[in-house]
Amino acid sequence: MASSTADIAATAVATAHHLGHSLSESELAALCVSLEPTDSTLFHALTLFDHHHAQTQIACAPPSF
């Protein structure tokens, strides 16, 4: 996917790692939305996400067949 969110998130995670820190998904989401509206590609699971404020983060359960 061509996502600026992926670019921002990767840069933030790499920078934090270089500085000896880690970022939770919530911290990373808050950082990303402080820069621009952000999609949910930064989460490991499919997530309902408030892309302007990072306040709503609801992980969706995988489908059962």
Side-chain angles (χ1 to χ4, degrees), residues 41-60:
T41 57
L42 57 92
F43 295 100
H44 286 98
L46 180 62
T47 302
L48 180 62
F49 177 66
D50 175 356
H51 65 282
H52 285 287
H53 305 289
Q55 293 174 344
T56 302
Q57 299 172 18
I58 303 170
C60 300

Side-chain angles (χ1 to χ4, degrees), residues 1-10 12 24-43 47-57:
M1 299 180 81
S3 170
S4 60
T5 297
D7 297 335
I8 293 168
S24 68
E25 287 183 339
S26 294
E27 292 169 325
L28 183 57
L31 176 63
C32 289
V33 299
S34 73
L35 300 171
E36 69 174 15
T38 298
D39 60 42
S40 63
T41 57
L42 57 92
F43 295 100
T47 302
L48 180 62
F49 177 66
D50 175 356
H51 65 282
H52 285 287
H53 305 289
Q55 293 174 344
T56 302
Q57 299 172 18

